[in-house]
Amino acid sequence: MALLQISEPGESTAPHQHRLAVGIDLGTTNSLVATVRNSIPCVLADAAGRNLLPSVVHYTSKGADLVGHEALARASQDPYNTIASVKRFMGRGLVDAQAVAAGQYLFATMNQASSIENASVQEGAVKIKTAAGEKSPVEISAEILRILRQRAESFLGGDLVGAVVTVPAYFDEAQRQATKDAARLAGLNVLRLLNEPTAAAIAYGLDNKAEGIYAIYDLGGGTFDISILKLSKGIFEVLSTGGDSALGGDDFDKALYEWVCAQTALDHLTPQSLRALLISCKDAKEKLSSQQQAFIPIAKTDGTTAEIAVDRQTFQTITQLLVTKTMKPVRKAMRDAGLTVADIKGVVMVGGATRMPHVREAVEAFFKQPPLTDIDPDQVVAIGAAIQANALAGNKSHEHDWLLLDVVALSLGVETMGGLIERIINRNSSIPCAMAQDFTTFQDGQTAMSIHVVQGERELAKDCRSLARFELHGIPPMPAGAARIRITFQVDADGLLTVTALEQTTGVQAQVNVKPSYGLSDQEITRILQDGFASSQTDMAARALAEQQVDADRLIQATRSALQADSNLLSKEELNSIHTHLQHLIAVRQTADALALKQAIKTLAQATENFAAIRMNAAVRHALAGRNVNEII
Ligand code: AMP
C-alpha cells in the first residue's frame, strides 16, 4: 500500500456541492461506515446510536431478515441460520475454508463451524446453507454493506457517490474481487479498495507528518495483523505484513471461558448456555480493560445462577500467552523488512482488542515507545477510509490534495516450462501499473500457447495461487524459439488484473480480465476468453487436479505433524478414524481422480476438525493448570 502525495488538503466545498462519499470498514466481527462532514471525519451511528454493526446476518426462508445486533441476538436460538465471521471465507475455496474452520473453536462464531459442514463448492466458491438456500460469502457480505449504505444515505440525506471499502493488506486478488463484488451487489459504487493499515495511517494523519517507518498493530475480533509501512516522499509503501488469521479478541473470550469451566467443572452445559457463558466472558473481558474486576454469571444445571469474579490480574495471566503469541509475527515482520525497533517512528493501534491494557503494554515494551491510541481503535480504519473517500469523491479536489496509490500485495507472473514462475509484476509495485515481457514457443510449429497466471512469492507454480489458465491460439508455425509473444499484465486502481497476450509477427492479440478463481466457472472462462482465447476443458480439469493435489499434500503434512505432536490427546477410536482417512487420502493422492481427491480431502478435514479443537483446548488448559473453583466463587 502506498500513498502518493500530489497536494495538500484543501478546504471542504460548500455543503450543497458536497458529494456524499463514505468509508466502510467491512470487518470480521464488526463493520462501520464513516464520512467527512464539514472537514471532520465521523462514524455514522444507527437509529439506536450504535456505531458498530456486528458482521452477522440471519436468514429465514424468505431471505436475510436481520443484520447486525438483531441477527447476533438470534444466534443462540437459530445458530444454523445466523452467519458470522463470513469475511474469513471471502474469495476462498472450500478447502481453504475448511482450514479456516479447523483453526476455530466451534461455538464462538455461531454458524461458522456448522456452515462449513453444510458448505459446498459451486463454481469454485464456498456456499453456505441457510433457510433461504445456499448463500455465498459475497452475498452475505452484501447484506452487511447494504445496511451500511442505507444507514449512510438516510443520515446524509441523499444517494452516495461512492464508497472506499477497506481490506486487509494481505488479501489476494480473489479476496479483493469478492469484496468489490459484495459492495456492488449492495448497490455501492466502489471508489476504491484501500488496505486497512494504510487507512489507519491516514486517520492519524501520518501522511502529513515527517517521513518514517510506522507499524500498524491490528488485533480485531478474529484476526491479528501487523503491517510495517514506510512513508517516503509522500508514498506509503508496505515493507512487510504478517499476522495470525486465527488469533483475535475472541480467543481471549475463549481463554476466559475455559478458565471459568476449569474453576466450576461445568461440563454439561447446553449449547445455549455455552454461548451465553461465552458472551458473558466477552463482556467481562471488555470491562476489565477499564475496571479491575468483573463478574461472570453462570446458569447452573439446577436452574440457579451463580457468579464468578475475575480480576484484571487473573485475566491477564490467563491470556498473556495470547498476547505473547501476537509478538511472534511482529518480530517476523520486522525481520522481513530488515528493521530494528529503533527504526520505527510510530505505532498505530487498530481493532477493539487493542484496548486491553496488557496488549498495549506488550506493544509498548516491544517497540520501546507508547503506541498511538487517541482514535477509537474500532473506528480508525473507517475514518481513514472516509478521508480517502472524501478526497476521491472530489470534495478536496484542489491541486494540493493527496492521491493515494496502492501497491500490488503479491507478485504476479506466469508459469514457464518446468513449473517455474516468471514474475511480471513484483510485489509492492505501485498501482495502477502495467508491465510486459516477451515469451516464445517451446516446440517447432507450435501454434498455441498455454498461459498460466499465478500470484505469490514462491518459485514453483505449484506453490503459488493459480489465478487463471488460458490459451492463445493463432501463432503462425515457426521454429521453436522464433515466435515473440508479448504478455502484458495491467493492474487497475483496485488491484484487479488484466492480462493481454500479443503475437508480434501476426498481431494476433487477446485479453483476459483475470477474475480470480473464487468465482471462476468453466463457463465464465469460456465467455471471457471467446475473442481469441479458447479455454480448454482438459486444462481446467488438470488445474483442478493439480490444485487438489497441492491441497491434499498440505493437509496430509499438517495432519502428520499434528499426530506426531499430539496424538496422545485422541481416543483410540478417533486416532484410528484419522489414520484411516489419512491413509485413504494418501492412496487417492496417487490417482488422477480429482473428484475422489476432493472428497477425500473433505472427509479428512472433517475427521480432524475435532482434533484441532482438542489441541487448542489442551493448550489453554495447560496454561490454566492448578487453579481451583473454591478459590474464587
Ligand atoms: P474489531 O474486530 O476491531 O471490531 O474488534 C472486536 C474485538 O475487540 C472483540 O473481540 C471485542 O470483544 C474486542 N473489544 C472491544 N472492546 C474491548 C475492550 N474494551 N476491551 C477488550 N476488548 C475489546
Side-chain angles (χ1 to χ4, degrees):
M1 169 65 58
L3 308 180
L4 176 64
Q5 183 184 20
I6 58 171
S7 63
E8 289 174 13
E11 305 282 301
S12 68
T13 49
H16 65 276
Q17 295 170 327
H18 193 87
R19 288 152 63 84
L20 304 178
V22 293
I24 293 181
D25 172 6
L26 182 61
T28 308
T29 316
N30 292 302
S31 296
L32 290 99
V33 58
T35 194
V36 176
R37 300 188 88 205
N38 304 322
S39 303
I40 297 167
C42 59
V43 169
L44 305 180
D46 65 9
R50 298 169 301 200
N51 289 327
L52 295 180
L53 178 74
S55 305
V56 182
V57 181
H58 178 262
Y59 285 91
T60 66
S61 58
K62 294 200 178 96
D65 66 333
L66 302 171
V67 178
H69 295 277
E70 292 72 20
L72 190 60
R74 287 300 303 275
S76 52
Q77 298 127 42
D78 193 12
Y80 281 83
N81 290 309
T82 311
I83 319 293
S85 299
V86 77
K87 183 173 175 180
R88 289 181 182 281
F89 306 117
M90 289 291 269
R92 303 283 199 132
L94 181 61
V95 175
D96 291 331
Q98 280 169 334
V100 172
Q104 296 289 305
Y105 41 91
L106 301 183
F107 37 79
T109 50
M110 278 64 82
N111 189 23
Q112 187 156 293
S114 51
S115 326
I116 291 313
E117 281 159 23
N118 291 331
S120 65
V121 172
Q122 285 181 9
E123 299 173 358
V126 173
K127 296 267 181 176
I128 296 165
K129 280 185 187 159
T130 73
E134 292 192 331
K135 298 288 169 192
S136 69
V138 168
E139 290 170 288
I140 297 163
S141 301
E143 299 293 348
I144 298 163
L145 290 166
R146 194 171 291 123
I147 296 294
L148 294 175
R149 176 174 68 85
Q150 287 163 359
R151 181 188 291 187
E153 286 178 346
S154 72
F155 186 89
L156 297 170
D159 290 343
L160 298 178
V161 165
V164 167
V165 182
T166 59
V167 288
Y170 58 79
F171 254 27
D172 64 21
E173 295 254 333
Q175 293 166 302
R176 283 166 197 267
Q177 180 67 56
T179 306
K180 208 169 177 190
D181 287 352
R184 286 199 188 118
L185 202 57
L188 285 164
N189 170 34
V190 181
L191 296 169
R192 75 174 305 147
L193 302 178
L194 181 64
N195 284 348
E196 289 162 8
T198 302
I202 294 168
Y204 273 102
L206 297 183
D207 42 356
N208 293 315
K209 290 203 176 134
E211 302 194 335
I213 297 170
Y214 298 92
I216 317 294
Y217 179 102
D218 180 351
L219 189 62
T223 53
F224 170 63
D225 299 310
I226 177 79
S227 312
I228 311 290
L229 306 185
K230 180 180 176 193
L231 176 64
S232 155
K233 299 194 184 83
I235 295 175
F236 267 125
E237 181 189 351
V238 178
L239 296 182
S240 61
T241 63
D244 186 335
S245 59
L247 175 63
D250 298 348
D251 295 293
F252 290 70
D253 310 346
K254 169 73 170 160
L256 185 54
Y257 162 87
E258 292 284 352
W259 178 80
V260 171
C261 288
Q263 306 306 307
T264 54
L266 295 171
D267 280 341
H268 303 294
L269 290 182
T270 61
Q272 277 83 357
S273 43
L274 280 179
R275 260 181 217 108
L277 180 54
L278 201 59
I279 290 166
S280 302
C281 288
K282 183 189 172 91
D283 287 346
K285 170 195 75 175
E286 293 179 4
K287 284 193 179 116
L288 288 169
S289 291
S290 52
Q291 312 173 173
Q292 289 298 332
Q293 198 180 39
F295 296 91
I296 301 166
I298 296 163
K300 295 196 158 182
T301 33
D302 64 4
T304 61
T305 310
E307 227 175 31
I308 189 164
V310 57
D311 60 40
R312 185 187 281 179
Q313 186 53 52
T314 306
F315 173 68
Q316 294 189 345
T317 308
I318 295 164
T319 54
Q320 194 58 46
L321 255 179
L322 296 169
V323 179
T324 309
K325 217 171 150 193
T326 67
M327 300 320 287
K328 200 172 158 199
V330 172
R331 273 191 293 274
K332 183 167 185 308
M334 294 286 288
R335 252 197 329 272
D336 288 351
L339 298 171
T340 66
V341 162
D343 297 319
I344 301 296
K345 189 158 196 164
V347 185
V348 175
M349 296 294 250
V350 180
T354 61
R355 289 200 184 87
M356 287 183 280
H358 60 325
V359 171
R360 291 183 175 184
E361 282 157 20
V363 171
E364 179 166 351
F366 181 85
F367 286 104
K368 300 193 169 51
Q369 61 181 301
L372 295 167
T373 54
D374 294 345
I375 303 180
D376 183 329
D378 282 323
Q379 302 186 0
V380 62
V381 167
I383 284 174
I387 294 170
Q388 169 71 153
N390 192 49
L392 288 175
N395 294 324
K396 297 170 81 182
S397 59
H398 303 295
E399 38 180 306
H400 297 300
D401 279 351
W402 292 84
L403 175 68
L404 303 177
L405 290 185
D406 264 321
V407 296
V408 177
L410 296 167
S411 298
L412 297 161
V414 290
E415 179 177 352
T416 57
M417 293 303 295
L420 294 170
I421 293 300
E422 185 64 31
R423 288 201 186 100
I424 310 253
I425 292 184
N426 282 320
R427 174 170 190 273
N428 277 347
S429 303
S430 298
I431 57 172
C433 63
M435 298 291 279
Q437 198 161 319
D438 287 349
F439 293 84
T440 190
T441 45
F442 177 67
Q443 280 177 337
D444 289 344
Q446 185 177 335
T447 56
M449 182 179 263
S450 173
I451 299 161
H452 184 197
V453 182
V454 292
Q455 179 175 44
E457 306 310 311
R458 306 279 296 271
E459 295 306 318
L460 295 177
K462 73 178 179 58
D463 295 323
C464 291
R465 186 176 185 123
S466 174
L467 293 179
R469 192 188 279 271
F470 53 88
E471 292 182 354
L472 173 66
H473 289 273
I475 303 170
M478 284 183 249
R484 284 284 169 271
I485 317 295
R486 173 152 298 184
I487 297 182
T488 307
F489 277 46
Q490 221 174 341
V491 183
D492 73 13
D494 295 311
L496 301 179
L497 173 67
T498 303
V499 181
T500 310
L502 172 71
E503 200 295 297
Q504 306 214 52
T505 53
T506 55
V508 174
Q509 179 176 340
Q511 173 172 302
V512 62
N513 293 316
V514 179
K515 278 196 83 183
S517 48
Y518 91 92
L520 197 62
S521 66
D522 290 2
Q523 291 87 337
E524 265 181 294
I525 291 171
T526 311
R527 200 183 62 240
I528 293 168
L529 304 182
Q530 61 196 358
D531 291 333
F533 289 96
S535 81
S536 150
Q537 294 292 332
T538 22
D539 269 5
M540 289 307 296
R543 176 172 72 114
L545 177 62
E547 284 180 348
Q548 298 290 346
Q549 286 173 333
V550 172
D551 287 331
D553 291 345
R554 210 179 289 141
L555 188 57
I556 289 168
Q557 180 53 35
T559 309
R560 278 182 174 148
S561 7
L563 286 174
Q564 203 169 10
D566 287 324
S567 60
N568 59 316
L569 298 174
L570 292 168
S571 68
K572 218 168 169 176
E573 296 75 55
E574 285 171 307
L575 191 59
N576 281 342
S577 156
I578 292 177
H579 268 303
T580 311
H581 287 110
L582 178 62
Q583 291 313 321
H584 176 62
L585 178 58
I586 293 169
V588 179
R589 171 67 181 83
Q590 308 306 321
T591 71
D593 186 341
L595 221 68
L597 196 52
K598 190 191 283 184
Q599 191 52 38
I601 290 168
K602 189 175 166 190
T603 47
L604 178 59
Q606 280 167 350
T608 52
E609 211 170 284
N610 192 39
F611 186 22
I614 294 172
R615 291 186 80 204
M616 187 169 171
N617 287 346
V620 173
R621 287 218 165 85
H622 179 71
L624 303 176
R627 301 203 142 259
N628 183 332
V629 59
N630 299 324
E631 286 173 2
I632 37 135
I633 286 197

